[in-house]
Amino acid sequence: MIKEKFFPSNVAFITLISACSIVAIFMGLRMVFGLFTDFFVKDLQCTITEFGLAIGIQMLMWGMFAPIFGALADKIGSAKVTIIASGFVALGIYLLYSGPNTGIFFQINLGLLIGIGLGGTAISVQIAAVGKHFPNKTRGMAIGIVVSMASIGYFFSPIYTKFALSAFGWEKTLNTYLYFIIIGIIAAIFLREVKKEKNSNDSIKVDNQTLMEALKEAFNHKGFILLTFGFFVCGFNITLVSAHIPLSLIHISEPTR
């Protein structure tokens, strides 16, 4: 019996590495804004409530634009979509430290722009691109590798951010994030598409399916409904922790004066 290779092609390997790099960078960046709360409150004159609202908007935009970017990726390619979405994240971060960045602009920069960008850079488009390169037997493992890179980003980004905030200040720290985004954009160039077979009946059926037909099919599947509820639980818990717990931990760890 011949053992099948995990990577069906060199293109699959390149796409997997590219997706892992993108996910590690952007999923890591989305977890660190809670460490900036004190600086935003003192320097930008925003309240904790306004910061929480911005993070809430960010998560809503992420969820709303993920399927939009996914549909766009099917038309123009995952690489182009990731690069476009990266531009939104970069613009939001740049305006957050350079201005205008107070009042409604704070919500636009941290909430709207970065949230829209996450819709095309934080996992969904990347795992779809990777999944197309792998057969059913190894697709789960390949996607699992990409998803695991989010945890790598979660681990290292706060460590770097805490160091950078102490060494450079919050504006310079946000500025350095742009260099990570550039790395993500370079990695996005190597997100390769699978060549479509012209005589594939399956591909024709998928292409002809309307949005309403796709939604009806999805909501008739129990697994999809349970998965959707799972994401709501994830949003309420992980986002709450990343947005507000870091500030509490910092204050607890500070020596009493």
Side-chain angles (χ1 to χ4, degrees), residues 139-243:
R139 184 176 297 140
M141 177 64 73
I143 291 176
I145 292 172
V146 178
V147 174
S148 69
M149 292 305 295
S151 298
I152 301 296
Y154 291 164
F155 180 80
F156 285 105
S157 290
I159 295 174
Y160 168 76
T161 299
K162 192 68 174 69
F163 161 77
L165 286 172
S166 301
F168 311 132
W170 71 273
E171 295 100 328
K172 182 64 176 178
T173 298
L174 288 175
N175 177 261
T176 62
Y177 287 169
L178 298 181
Y179 295 100
F180 291 106
I181 293 175
I182 291 174
I183 295 173
I185 290 174
I186 294 173
I189 297 173
F190 298 95
L191 275 179
R192 305 297 176 85
E193 300 298 321
V194 176
K195 293 182 179 180
K196 296 181 180 179
E197 297 180 3
K198 294 182 179 180
N199 296 324
S200 174
N201 293 327
D202 292 337
S203 63
I204 295 174
K205 183 179 179 180
V206 172
D207 291 340
N208 289 336
Q209 188 180 45
T210 65
L211 175 61
M212 294 308 298
E213 289 172 346
L215 290 174
K216 183 178 179 180
E217 179 183 352
F219 281 101
N220 284 332
H221 195 288
K222 183 179 178 181
F224 177 82
I225 296 174
L226 293 175
L227 181 64
T228 302
F229 278 116
F231 276 109
F232 275 99
V233 174
C234 170
F236 278 114
N237 286 274
I238 296 180
T239 303
L240 173 67
V241 170
S242 66

Side-chain angles (χ1 to χ4, degrees), residues 94-102 109:
Y94 173 75
L95 293 176
L96 195 58
Y97 72 82
S98 66
N101 54 11
T102 57
N109 300 339

